[in-house]
Amino acid sequence: MSNGNDMGKDMRPDHGTPEEHREIAKVLAHASAPPAAAAAAARLIARIADEAQEQPTAKVLDFAPRPRPAARRVLRFAAALPLAASLALGVYLGAKGTLDFMLPAAITGGVAANEDLPDELGGVGEADAYAEENLS
Amino acid sequence: MTRDASAFRQMTDAGLLEAAAGGSHAAFAEIVERHFQPVYRLVWRMTGGAAEAEDIAQEAFVKLWKNPSQLREGAALRGWLMRVASNAVIDGSRKPRAGAIEDVPEPPDPMARPDAPLDRAQAQRLVDAAIAALPDRQRQALALVYFEGLSNIEAAGVMEVSVDAVESLLARARRSLKESLSAEWRDLIGGLAETGR
C-alpha cells in the first residue's frame, strides 16, 4: 500500500471516472456510521461553561529606543563652513590663475592651454609643397 | 444586554465568533450546535470510531473558546475546527500507544468460506477494516470528500495542501480500497442492497 504521507511521490492527480466515483461511494456506504453526538455536544457546552477564556496578550512589544546623546549641530556647522569656504576660495583662485606658477607646466603651460596648435592638422595646407616636390 | 438563543441562530459564524470573543457562552453554544457534529464525524472516521474521538473533537472547540480571536475569518470556522481536530488525530497517531496492535480489530477473512454470501455485518466490517488500513492523510481526504461531502478545494483548505495533492490522495485511497476489497468488490457495489443480504 502506498504511503499517504509521501506527498512527493505520485503527485499527478487521478480524477477518476464517474463510474469509479459511483462504485467507491457504494462501497463506502457499507461503512459504519458514527453515533449521534448530541450528548457529546451537550457535554462540551457544559465544559465550556467552566472553562475560562485566555486574556488576549499583546503580541507586539512596545519598542523603547535606546537613549542616544543628542546630535551636536554646532560642531556639524563648524566642520562644514571651513570646507565650503575652502572650496569657494579654490574656485576663485583657479579662475583667476593667481596660483598657476605653483602648478606644473603640463597643466598650465602652452600645450595644456592649446596655444601652439597648428593651423592645419590634416596636412592639407602643405599639399602644394608636396606637389612641387613631386614635379621636380 | 444578553441575547436569546434564537437571536444567535440568525447570526453568521463571524458574528458568533465575535460574540464568543466577548465571552458569550450562548454564542459559543450556537457554534457548537452548528459545527460539532461534522467535526466529531470527521474525527470518528479518522480514528476508526475510537473512544477518544469525542475528546479530540471537544479539544478543538475548547481551543477555540479559550482564544476565539486566533481565528481571523469567521467564514472559515468549520474548516479551522476540522483542521485542528484532524491534526490532533494525526499527531496522536504518531505517538506510540501501549497495546496499539491489540487495539486493531482483526479483519474478517472472507476466504475462510469463499462460497458464503456476504451479509451486511460482514460488509461493514470489511469496509471499516479497509478504511482503517489507509494511511492517515488518505483516510482524512476520504472522510472529508466522500463522507462529509466537501469539494476537493474545501478539503485542500482543511488539509492545507494543494487541490492536486488532495486528488492524488483520493486516487491512492480508491486504489488501495479496490485492492484490499477486490474479492468482495462486486458484492459491495451491487449485490447487498438489492438482494437484501
Side-chain angles (χ1 to χ4, degrees):
Chain A
M1 191 177 290
S2 60
N3 179 6
N5 293 323
D6 184 5
M7 301 294 288
K9 197 171 69 177
D10 191 16
M11 282 297 289
R12 197 174 43 189
D14 170 11
H15 301 282
T17 62
E19 190 186 355
E20 203 178 0
H21 284 289
R22 273 196 298 275
E23 283 187 5
I24 205 83
K26 281 181 180 175
V27 169
L28 293 176
H30 293 291
S32 302
R43 280 193 289 273
L44 170 60
I45 291 168
R47 183 179 165 188
I48 290 299
D50 297 332
E51 291 273 355
Q53 283 186 312
E54 287 171 2
Q55 292 304 313
T57 53
K59 290 192 176 166
V60 179
L61 298 176
D62 289 336
F63 175 68
R66 197 175 55 171
R68 287 193 298 181
R72 296 182 202 169
R73 302 187 112 191
V74 176
L75 280 181
R76 217 180 282 170
F77 278 110
L81 275 173
L83 285 171
S86 169
L87 175 67
L89 183 65
V91 170
Y92 173 74
L93 294 177
K96 288 275 285 181
T98 312
L99 300 176
D100 279 0
F101 67 93
M102 295 176 70
L103 297 173
I107 296 173
T108 59
V111 173
N114 221 5
E115 287 170 356
D116 300 333
L117 193 68
D119 294 336
E120 193 66 59
L121 284 176
V124 180
E126 295 171 23
D128 294 342
Y130 288 127
E132 283 168 14
E133 279 175 23
N134 286 340
L135 287 171
S136 62
Chain B
M1 193 177 90
T2 56
R3 297 184 223 201
D4 60 356
S6 62
F8 286 120
R9 235 165 266 145
Q10 312 289 326
M11 288 174 71
T12 61
D13 282 352
L16 289 172
L17 202 60
E18 198 179 330
S24 169
H25 285 88
F28 199 80
E30 179 60 26
I31 290 176
V32 172
E33 197 70 33
R34 281 185 200 179
H35 302 296
F36 186 76
Q37 291 280 354
V39 174
Y40 171 73
R41 281 198 305 264
L42 173 65
V43 175
W44 192 90
R45 294 276 179 208
M46 287 185 69
T47 56
E52 63 261 30
E54 181 182 329
D55 290 338
I56 294 169
Q58 277 196 7
E59 283 308 319
F61 283 81
V62 170
K63 190 175 180 182
L64 178 66
W65 166 251
K66 284 187 172 171
N67 188 5
S69 56
Q70 66 189 296
L71 182 57
R72 299 291 169 103
E73 286 199 36
L77 180 55
R78 183 176 292 189
W80 185 87
L81 287 164
M82 283 179 157
R83 180 159 58 248
V84 170
S86 53
N87 284 347
V89 173
I90 291 169
D91 288 346
S93 71
R94 284 178 188 149
K95 292 175 191 162
R97 286 189 302 146
I101 293 171
E102 286 77 8
D103 290 348
V104 176
E106 188 73 25
D109 182 6
M111 300 309 286
R113 291 168 56 206
D115 298 330
L118 198 64
D119 63 24
R120 285 184 188 282
Q122 282 176 321
Q124 192 176 65
R125 277 197 301 274
L126 281 169
V127 174
D128 285 350
I131 294 171
L134 293 173
D136 287 334
R137 298 290 272 177
Q138 288 182 26
R139 197 161 54 248
Q140 184 185 15
L142 202 73
L144 287 168
V145 174
Y146 283 100
F147 289 111
E148 290 308 316
L150 268 63
S151 67
N152 289 0
I153 296 169
E154 290 167 330
V158 171
M159 297 177 74
E160 294 183 297
V161 296
S162 68
V163 177
D164 280 356
V166 169
E167 286 170 354
S168 174
L169 286 167
L170 288 171
R172 278 184 276 164
R174 284 195 297 266
R175 274 203 301 273
S176 297
L177 288 175
K178 205 162 185 177
E179 277 170 28
S180 59
L181 297 168
S182 58
E184 305 82 17
W185 194 256
R186 284 289 131 208
D187 282 346
L188 289 169
I189 62 173
L192 293 179
E194 286 164 18
T195 58
R197 278 187 281 167

